[in-house]
Amino acid sequence: MSKFWSAFVNDLVPYVPGEQPKIANLVKLNTNENPYGPSPKAVAAMQAALNDDLRLYPDPNADVLKQAIADYYGVGKSHVFVGNGSDEVLAHVFHGLLKHDRPILFPDISYSFYPVYCGLYGVSFRQVMLNANYEIDLDDYAQPNGGIIFPNPNAPTGILTPLSAIESLLQRNTDSVVVVDEAYVDFGGETAITLVRKYPQLLVTQTLSKSRSLAGLRVGLAIGHPDLIEALERIKNSFNSYPLGRMAIVGAAAAFDDQEYFRQTCQAVIESREKLVGELVSLGFEVLPSAANFIFARHPEREGSALAALLRERAVIVRHFRSPRIEQFLRITIGAPEQNDALIRALKEVL
Ligand SMILES: *Cc1c(COP(=O)(O)O)cnc(C)c1O
């Protein structure tokens, strides 16, 4: 608190990102980063762009990137919006598409940035409880609303909502925007982008931070009807006309073009996930079914916070949330095989 703060700043409750400790040799399984590097072709494209052209502003419309994304998903360029990480894209979504008279709906256990954006942009919201199996039941969203947003797969549970359930929601809910946050969809989900032509109220967001291993570059995107995209462009051009730098535009476009590397690394993460789930189950953990690059697990006899602290003493960092209903759980990012082995070794010691 400072005397220079406005009442608005004083009342904000900011998001707390997973920590980025500056300690060497950590087994860092707390922020869902990809254990494999980005596409070598993306790195080469960025190296080639590291030249005197940096004196010039980037293309404010990031056309090269929008075209690469449009080609990848078989949509028109006017269906594509890009921003500085999907967190920025989501901020514009809350500001431009979800701020209406009625409260918006999202799950009670979900991405903890959603209520933060509601606070920042003055969006009222109602949280809808996950069912007893920690699943999103979209039938519970059949109520008047100013918009609906949920991650698919959900975070931090990792549980996938089937596309058929999303389509029936879209058939019922036609008067407000439905946002599907697909940050983790490439690790076993089916994208809702195939539905955007049919449902003008559907907006799908994605990020290059997880499946394309470019968290450090900060690139995210949204795909939807051109009217929704235009709303985001209006917000963006009232905020920052150049959210993506030259490196981000060429690197992200090259990452979308390199489908082979993308497929191989996603597959490797999925295989490691299935192996790790098996090992955790044999150690007595209950693991929720994950379609993401992380798993959400609890040990019936151990407190989540205590386990996280004991792992930390062994240089393994996982994420623990001090929220009702999930206090016992740990969210564990799928690492490289040797990192996952180190986690299992540490857990064997601790248990
Ligand atoms: C990681 C994540 C994002 C944001 O990713 P960016 O790095 O900002 O692109 C958005 N939604 C969910 C659910 C996430 O887990």
Side-chain angles (χ1 to χ4, degrees):
M1 173 67 165
S2 145
K3 69 174 180 177
F4 301 114
W5 287 13
S6 63
F8 174 73
V9 167
N10 197 43
D11 288 345
L12 285 178
V13 185
Y15 176 74
V16 184
E19 58 173 325
Q20 298 290 351
K22 306 208 165 35
I23 310 166
N25 300 321
L26 267 188
V27 178
K28 190 175 172 308
L29 304 176
N30 67 329
T31 51
N32 298 344
E33 288 140 334
N34 198 310
Y36 304 105
S39 152
K41 289 181 182 161
V43 174
M46 290 188 276
Q47 278 164 341
L50 199 52
N51 57 40
D52 279 354
D53 285 348
L54 281 172
R55 72 193 177 79
L56 302 169
Y57 280 105
D59 173 6
N61 292 316
D63 270 326
V64 169
L65 174 57
K66 283 184 181 172
Q67 193 61 58
I69 295 167
D71 291 346
Y72 182 84
Y73 281 115
V75 297
K77 219 165 53 155
S78 61
H79 290 80
V80 182
F81 180 78
V82 292
N84 186 250
S86 64
D87 284 340
E88 185 187 78
V89 175
L90 289 167
H92 294 343
V93 169
F94 277 79
H95 202 178
L97 294 170
L98 297 178
K99 190 173 176 177
H100 297 284
D101 293 337
R102 287 193 164 128
I104 67 163
L105 307 176
F106 51 81
D108 63 331
I109 296 167
S110 191
Y111 189 33
S112 44
F113 226 134
Y114 300 157
V116 174
Y117 289 133
C118 287
L120 179 60
Y121 293 118
V123 178
S124 59
F125 63 93
R126 186 180 308 142
Q127 287 170 301
V128 181
M129 285 250 286
L130 298 185
N131 70 18
N133 298 325
Y134 296 95
E135 295 158 344
I136 296 173
D137 185 343
L138 290 177
D139 289 342
D140 297 339
Y141 291 69
Q143 48 177 302
N145 66 76
I148 295 174
I149 182 166
F150 58 92
N152 196 38
N154 195 13
T157 63
I159 296 178
L160 189 71
T161 303
L163 206 51
S164 55
I166 296 175
E167 184 156 22
S168 18
L169 171 75
L170 290 164
Q171 283 161 352
R172 290 192 303 267
N173 194 96
T174 52
D175 290 335
S176 69
V177 174
V178 174
V179 184
V180 185
D181 177 352
E182 294 187 345
Y184 302 102
V185 77
D186 297 318
F187 299 106
E190 202 183 341
T191 180
I193 289 171
T194 49
L195 300 175
V196 298
R197 278 188 200 283
K198 208 162 152 198
Y199 298 99
Q201 78 276 36
L202 169 63
L203 189 78
V204 178
T205 64
Q206 291 192 355
T207 173
L208 281 81
S209 299
K210 278 78 183 230
S211 57
R212 288 186 173 77
S213 199
L214 285 167
L217 199 61
R218 310 305 302 131
V219 184
L221 60 110
I223 296 184
H225 188 282
D227 287 350
L228 301 184
I229 300 304
E230 195 185 325
L232 299 177
E233 296 288 355
R234 288 174 69 110
I235 296 274
K236 171 225 162 208
N237 289 319
S238 307
F239 179 77
N240 176 9
S241 314
Y242 304 103
L244 294 191
R246 288 174 167 267
M247 295 298 122
I249 292 171
V250 297
F256 265 98
D257 288 341
D258 193 353
Q259 296 193 31
E260 185 53 32
Y261 182 84
F262 168 70
R263 262 195 299 272
Q264 278 171 14
T265 48
C266 287
Q267 195 50 42
V269 170
I270 291 169
E271 281 164 21
S272 295
R273 178 182 73 212
E274 298 314 307
K275 177 164 180 268
L276 188 59
V277 169
E279 290 167 335
L280 289 171
V281 168
S282 22
L283 288 177
F285 279 88
E286 177 196 350
V287 186
L288 300 188
S290 170
N293 70 336
F294 59 85
I295 51 183
F296 207 46
R298 67 174 158 194
H299 196 283
E301 283 133 39
R302 305 299 287 262
E303 275 311 310
S305 58
L307 271 184
L310 288 164
L311 285 174
R312 170 179 289 269
E313 286 169 13
R314 287 158 182 80
V316 178
I317 307 223
V318 300
R319 189 109 196 242
H320 174 256
F321 298 90
R322 244 170 253 287
S323 320
R325 289 178 81 197
I326 57 169
E327 269 166 305
Q328 223 187 351
F329 283 89
L330 297 178
R331 193 197 66 190
I332 305 168
T333 303
I334 310 301
E338 59 278 12
Q339 295 179 302
N340 304 332
D341 292 345
L343 166 76
I344 294 294
R345 270 199 309 278
L347 280 173
K348 281 183 176 155
E349 262 180 57
V350 163
L351 296 167

